[in-house]
Each structure stands twice: as C-alpha cells, then as structure tokens.
Amino acid sequence: MLKMNTIEQELADAVQAALCTAFPGEETVGAFAASVVKTADARHGDYQCNDCMQLAKTLRLAPRMIAEKVTGVLRENQVVESVEIAGPGFINFRLSQTWLEDRLALVESDAFRGTPQVGEGQTVVLDYSSPNVAKPMHIGHIRSTVIGNALDRLHRYCGFRVVADNHLGDWGTQFGLILTGYRHFADQEALKASPVQELERVYVESYQRSKEDESWLDAAREELVKLQAGDEENLRLWKSFVEMSMGEFHKIYDRLDVRFDLERGESFYNDKLAEVLETLQSKGLLEESEGAQVVNLEEEKLGVCIVRKRDGGYNYATTDLATVFSRVEEFSPETILYVTDERQQRHFQQFFSVAKKVGIDTRMEHVWFGLMRLPEATFSTRQGNVIKLEALLDEAERRALEMVESSSPEMPEATQRAVAKAVGIGSIKYADLSQNPQSLVTFTWEKAMALDGNSAPYLQYAHARIRSVLDKYADQFPEGKPEEADFALPEPLERELGLKIARFPEAVLVAARTYRPNFMADYLFDLAQTYSTYHQSIPFLRAEPGVRESRMRLIRLVADTLKTGLGLLGIEAPDRI
Ligand code: ARG
C-alpha cells in the first residue's frame, strides 16, 4: 500500500519547509503548522495559503515580505507550476500539470484512492441507530441509522478500527406501560401478523390511559418494578418483545445494508448500574435531592444529573455511564461517537461532564442532528403519529421501479428490481446525507428522486452513463488498451476533472473529521456536474487514437471515484440505470 498525503497536506508541508529555509533558526517558524486550503475561486489557482498574515506579527515583517521570501523557495518545488502572491500576502498555487497527471496514476493504483490512513492504530466506538424496543423504528430513527452508518464507513476507510454498537433501548420505563397494556388489550392475532405494529399500538394506548388514569399509571409502575426485580413471567414477556422487535429492525437493517459489530442494548448493563452509584459515591460526587441521587453540575451550568430516581429506578444517564465504563475497559477507544437527534444534547452534556469527573478521559462527541420533517408532520411514537420506515422504503422502491421501467424497458425484470432497490434506498439515504445534519430536513419525493438535481439518482445516472461509454468503447475498439495510455489533461475541463479526482481524499477526511457526510455528497455532486459538462463538450469515442484511450482511462477513474464515494455513503452504484 502506498503512503499518500492529501494534496493540501503535501503543499502545507512544502510551505512549512520553505518557511524554515527562508527563516533559518527562527523558533516561531519551527513550531508553526502551515496550512493550505483549496481556493474558493479557481481563477486564483488550485490552492492557497493564508499563513503569512498570521506570521506577520511574530516575525515583525509585512505579510507580503514573508510571502516573497517563501515563494522564492517554493518555486523550486516540483508539485507546483506557479506560485503567486495576491493581495496583502496570500500565496496562490497552481499545481504542475505533469505532477497532477502522475498523481492520477497513483490514485488509480491505490486501494484507498490516495486517502491517507490517518486512523491507523486508533479505535472509534460508534453508537448509532439505537431504536427502542417495542416501538417501531420510525422515520426519526432513519437519520441516526443513515448518518451513523456513513460515519462508520468513512472512518473505516481512513483506517480506524470501528466498533459499531447498536445501543438499543431495550430496558426502562416503557416496559411497565407495555406490560400493563399487553395484559389488557393485546390482540394475539395482530401480534403474530405484525408484532411491532401491535406492540406500538399497545404502548400508545397504554400511554394515553396513563395520562388520564392515575391507577393505570400505578399498575404500570408495579409491572416495571416486578420486571426489574426479575419476575419470571414479566421477564419472559419482555424477552419476547425484544425478539419481536429485533426481527423487525433487522429486516430494515438488511434493506439498508447496515451492520453492527455489537447490539448490546441498555439491558446488557442492567447489573452494572449499582456499581456506577458506588463509583460516584466513592468519588464524593453523589448528592441527595428531593429523595433522588444526583450529581451536581451547577458549576458547569448544567443543573443536576439524576442518576437514581426517588422510586429507586435508575436513569438513562446511569446506563450511559455504565456503558462508557465497559466500552473504555473493553476497547480502549480514542473516541466514542453518539449519534442521536438534537433533543438529547442536554443529556449528553450532563453525561459527558459526569464521566469526566469520574476520570474518563476518552474523547466523547455527541453527533446530533435535526429532526426530519415530512411536509405535514414531525414524528413522535407517543402521538401514534408514525410513518413507518418500512412503508417509506417500500414507497421509495416502488417509485424507483416506475422510473427504471420507463427508462430501461428492455432490462430483465429481476435487474430492474435490483436497480430500483439501489435507486430507491439510495434516494432516501442521500436525501438525508446531502444535508448538513444539524439542519432541519424537509423530505420530499421530488427532491429525493430528481434526475436533474442533487440526488442519488443523479449521481447513479452519472456513474452508469460513464460505464455505458466504456462499454461502447470496448465494443468499437476491442483491441484498445486505455490502461496503457498515460493520463493527460491538456483541455482545461480535463484538468478540472483530474484535479477533482485527486481531491477525493480531502473530501473523505473532512467528512470524517467533522462528522458531516454531506461534505462527501457535495464533493460527489460537484464531480458529477463537472463530468456532465465534460461529457457534453469533449469528444471521447471520436477523439484521435491515443487521446481517446487517455480519456477512457480518465473517465473510468471518474466512475470509480463516484462509485467509491457513493459506497462511503452506503449507496450502491449499478452499472445500468
Ligand atoms: N434509544 C435512544 C433513543 O431512541 C437512543 C440511544 C442513544 N445512545 C446512547 N448511548 N444514549 O432515544
């Protein structure tokens, strides 16, 4: 495997070295970490460095003076064709044509398309999806599943060891309500036919009764206490609820091509909760407040974190503490990521703060996302206002099948179905992943499936279109060997395309580092658009021999990059659409 840096990093290293040459013995320069970013406007070059402004103070020199000294050294560098100073002291780079062409050959041969394995030797525990048992997975859960899974794929691709854990809500207060409801009005026929739907109905109705009827709530509490005390009958029922739910969740995960390394759920930590209290006690962190046990976080302006309720029950935060102790011991992760919706921000702030007080120094991040809105509704199981994920996926595949049937009527039916699955499921995932996770997403079919917009079908189509050009080429020129042609980027559009391919690793890293898969989506959309312009304006099959092969090799790399990038978002790229 090749060890490659991103172009940004390679240029930053060159600037760093140039600074040291230009200012020998200068301590601030030695300790400085130069940085280079891509230019916002291609007319200014490919990359730029803004460091001279920052160094002006410490070096007591005008930024332009520094830039002049540095560029004097940088011009010798093979990577760049030109280095220019702009404005008060920006340095703009244009990459050397031959360097870029050679770079594409490296990218093509590298298993990770030039992505540096920055995660090597590091472990990330990724806590995502984590639906609640006996409630159906509704559309609100799709974001955690889809975003979490993309982060999983992106991190593995950068060399991290990822431990993906589905932290199911399989324990806790809802089971009191479900058990009581189950005893009074569960419909056994419906339970067999559609278990999770029936369990949800039972839960919703039981929840509503508990709002109107104090004694119903008491009965539910009693069932819960019995369950927690290990009552055989309640445990047996609970287990069956868990199994029914898991069966249903797994149907969805299979359809979404989502897999976990662990599915431990909250119940796994049940017998470790008392220990959490002991640990907190021994560190002098426990206080009593109105009969409950709490950790006081007033100093951090986070109120109090309840770890044991007045009735003796443990809380969500207590389970998360037990879970983090266990994860740290078992996996020694560098980072733990929690992917949930924005409503849990306070919970994670409190829990992280308590964990730190207890001595956990692992980096923990709450990767939160905004809620997803369908035009007329938001989602809450309690209101019974659920659009089930399954129905959404069915509808997506149905719409995609219509699309494929009309665009490729000659395709065998089984292939049409497979393509419709890739396009339908891909559309749902992409509609979610192409947005900043922290924004509020309004889902519409028109946007998700637009053939001419920023959507999965658009990208899948761009990919399939290249594959079909490559097939035509193979038909017309059976003797042709594009792999033996050199990458050549004489046309400006060609160079732009080549440069974008070479930037793929930068998109991977930024998406992984910021926990925002939408950076990968933006990258892919941009690449596909550039390709589309290229496709319309540059002849390939009719180009002269040699040039033609070069172009085939280039567009094949575009297709491979699109496919790899979509794969990192968990989206398939079929060869035909
Ligand atoms: N089951 C929770 C819910 O659906 C999400 C769990 C997130 N993970 C965690 N470690 N707290 O709201």
Side-chain angles (χ1 to χ4, degrees):
M1 191 172 49
L2 295 159
K3 277 233 180 297
M4 286 174 80
N5 261 332
T6 58
I7 303 179
E8 278 178 354
Q9 192 56 49
E10 221 152 297
L11 290 174
D13 291 347
V15 171
Q16 184 72 38
L19 275 166
C20 292
T21 312
F23 301 95
E26 191 71 54
E27 258 177 53
T28 46
V29 165
F32 189 73
S35 82
V36 167
V37 292
K38 78 174 223 234
T39 49
D41 183 343
R43 281 172 305 182
H44 298 147
D46 303 325
Y47 285 89
Q48 75 182 53
C49 172
N50 309 332
D51 288 341
C52 298
M53 265 63 84
Q54 210 187 319
L55 282 166
K57 260 205 197 119
T58 46
L59 291 175
R60 293 166 196 261
L61 281 173
R64 257 196 105 89
M65 282 279 291
I66 304 173
E68 258 152 42
K69 286 194 148 204
V70 173
T71 49
V73 183
L74 280 171
R75 289 209 175 89
E76 310 291 311
N77 199 303
Q78 305 278 312
V79 179
V80 292
E81 181 177 286
S82 70
V83 188
E84 262 149 31
I85 305 173
F90 300 106
I91 304 176
N92 293 335
F93 302 91
R94 187 179 158 85
L95 297 174
S96 130
Q97 191 82 0
T98 47
W99 185 83
L100 190 55
E101 289 163 356
D102 292 346
R103 178 88 179 179
L104 290 181
L106 285 180
V107 166
E108 187 189 56
S109 67
D110 182 51
F112 300 101
R113 310 234 165 277
T115 306
Q117 298 299 289
V118 294
E120 243 163 39
Q122 291 183 59
T123 299
V124 179
V125 172
L126 190 52
D127 178 316
Y128 77 96
S129 191
S130 313
N132 300 315
V133 163
K135 303 183 189 178
M137 236 176 131
H138 57 76
I139 198 168
H141 278 119
I142 195 178
R143 297 209 80 186
S144 177
T145 308
V146 169
I147 295 170
N149 188 249
L151 293 177
D152 179 334
R153 291 166 190 263
L154 284 160
H155 278 83
R156 284 181 213 262
Y157 197 75
C158 300
F160 289 92
R161 171 171 79 127
V162 176
V163 180
D165 188 6
N166 190 7
H167 189 71
L168 300 154
D170 63 354
W171 198 245
T173 44
Q174 83 250 38
F175 288 99
L177 287 168
I178 296 165
L179 283 162
T180 313
Y182 178 86
R183 292 232 156 77
H184 287 83
F185 43 69
D187 173 342
Q188 292 300 330
E189 287 302 303
L191 262 185
K192 275 206 194 93
S194 177
V196 174
Q197 196 168 325
E198 178 59 7
L199 284 176
E200 179 207 15
R201 190 191 66 81
V202 168
Y203 172 72
V204 171
E205 199 169 323
S206 185
Y207 177 79
Q208 266 152 9
R209 280 209 202 178
S210 74
K211 293 271 115 177
E212 292 149 15
D213 179 355
E214 206 36 58
S215 65
W216 187 267
L217 190 60
D218 289 340
R221 283 209 188 99
E222 222 166 274
E223 294 293 357
L224 182 67
V225 171
K226 270 168 69 186
L227 173 68
Q228 290 177 334
D231 175 82
E232 229 171 80
E233 173 66 4
N234 276 9
L235 265 179
R236 189 186 61 77
L237 284 172
W238 167 77
K239 242 193 206 133
S240 73
F241 299 154
V242 173
E243 271 160 25
M244 289 181 215
S245 287
M246 290 302 281
E248 213 93 335
F249 294 156
H250 275 272
K251 275 195 235 155
I252 303 263
Y253 293 140
D254 286 347
R255 286 179 79 174
L256 293 175
D257 192 18
V258 165
R259 266 174 284 267
F260 298 94
D261 301 295
L262 301 173
E263 293 197 286
R264 284 196 174 155
E266 296 180 17
S267 64
F268 182 83
Y269 305 96
N270 191 33
D271 58 4
K272 300 184 175 70
L273 299 175
E275 244 171 80
V276 172
L277 268 281
E278 279 164 31
T279 307
L280 293 171
Q281 181 76 28
S282 73
K283 302 247 171 189
L285 292 168
L286 272 194
E287 279 179 24
E288 199 178 306
S289 166
E290 297 167 31
Q293 300 286 314
V294 306
V295 178
N296 191 325
L297 301 171
E298 297 292 355
E299 237 172 66
E300 292 88 340
K301 300 206 166 55
L302 290 172
V304 295
C305 176
I306 303 175
V307 287
R308 186 158 200 186
K309 291 180 281 193
R310 211 168 37 180
D311 64 10
Y314 296 103
N315 255 358
Y316 187 41
T318 326
T319 310
D320 263 328
L321 285 164
T323 308
V324 78
F325 296 157
S326 149
R327 284 173 178 166
V328 166
E329 189 175 290
E330 189 171 349
F331 306 111
S332 313
E334 273 70 22
T335 309
I336 308 180
L337 302 178
Y338 299 85
V339 187
T340 85
D341 76 51
E342 61 192 5
R343 293 171 301 183
Q344 299 198 24
Q345 284 180 87
R346 178 123 178 136
H347 161 73
F348 281 103
Q349 283 163 357
Q350 289 192 331
F351 150 54
F352 290 169
S353 164
V354 176
K356 202 177 258 159
K357 282 181 193 288
V358 183
I360 300 281
D361 56 8
T362 310
R363 202 162 78 101
M364 294 194 269
E365 299 275 352
H366 181 209
V367 180
W368 59 268
F369 53 84
L371 289 171
M372 167 134 43
R373 240 184 221 167
L374 284 182
E376 69 286 46
T378 43
F379 303 92
S380 161
T381 321
R382 278 183 204 159
Q383 288 145 23
N385 180 14
V386 193
I387 303 221
K388 281 190 297 158
L389 195 43
E390 214 169 357
L392 186 81
L393 299 182
D394 289 345
E395 176 69 7
E397 287 190 37
R398 193 189 62 73
R399 285 175 185 253
L401 187 60
E402 263 174 24
M403 228 162 89
V404 178
E405 279 167 351
S406 78
S407 68
S408 306
E410 77 295 341
M411 201 183 258
E413 205 192 305
T415 319
Q416 282 180 335
R417 286 196 181 277
V419 171
K421 177 168 188 267
V423 172
I425 305 287
S427 299
I428 300 274
K429 288 187 178 181
Y430 192 84
D432 192 337
L433 292 170
S434 55
Q435 319 266 344
N436 176 348
Q438 299 191 345
S439 66
L440 193 138
V441 175
T442 303
F443 179 87
T444 66
W445 290 110
E446 290 66 36
K447 220 163 71 188
M449 301 199 115
L451 266 173
D452 53 356
N454 189 5
S455 69
Y458 176 83
L459 295 174
Q460 289 167 322
Y461 175 70
H463 168 264
R465 177 149 84 151
I466 301 175
R467 296 280 177 225
S468 102
V469 173
L470 292 167
D471 284 353
K472 273 195 202 127
Y473 170 84
D475 274 354
Q476 286 179 31
F477 308 99
E479 310 284 290
K481 288 196 168 61
E483 60 284 0
E484 284 173 12
D486 286 330
F487 280 108
L489 309 166
E491 297 284 337
L493 258 176
E494 223 148 42
R495 186 181 187 280
E496 193 184 333
L497 205 51
L499 180 59
K500 283 182 181 166
I501 296 171
R503 276 180 180 161
F504 174 72
E506 288 165 13
V508 176
L509 290 193
V510 74
R513 282 190 174 137
T514 58
Y515 316 125
R516 282 179 51 177
N518 63 300
F519 285 122
M520 177 48 71
D522 291 347
Y523 167 84
L524 294 172
F525 185 46
D526 184 44
L527 178 65
Q529 279 180 310
T530 306
Y531 174 76
S532 171
T533 315
Y534 182 71
H535 186 102
Q536 281 154 27
S537 34
I538 308 273
F540 340 101
L541 295 176
R542 276 176 288 113
E544 59 190 275
V547 173
R548 189 174 58 212
E549 279 61 38
S550 232
R551 290 186 176 155
M552 286 304 121
R553 192 170 172 196
L554 181 68
I555 69 171
R556 192 177 59 196
L557 193 50
V558 175
D560 290 349
T561 307
L562 285 172
K563 191 178 178 109
T564 308
L566 282 169
L568 291 176
L569 300 179
I571 298 171
E572 282 178 76
D575 285 348
R576 291 277 170 281
I577 274 207

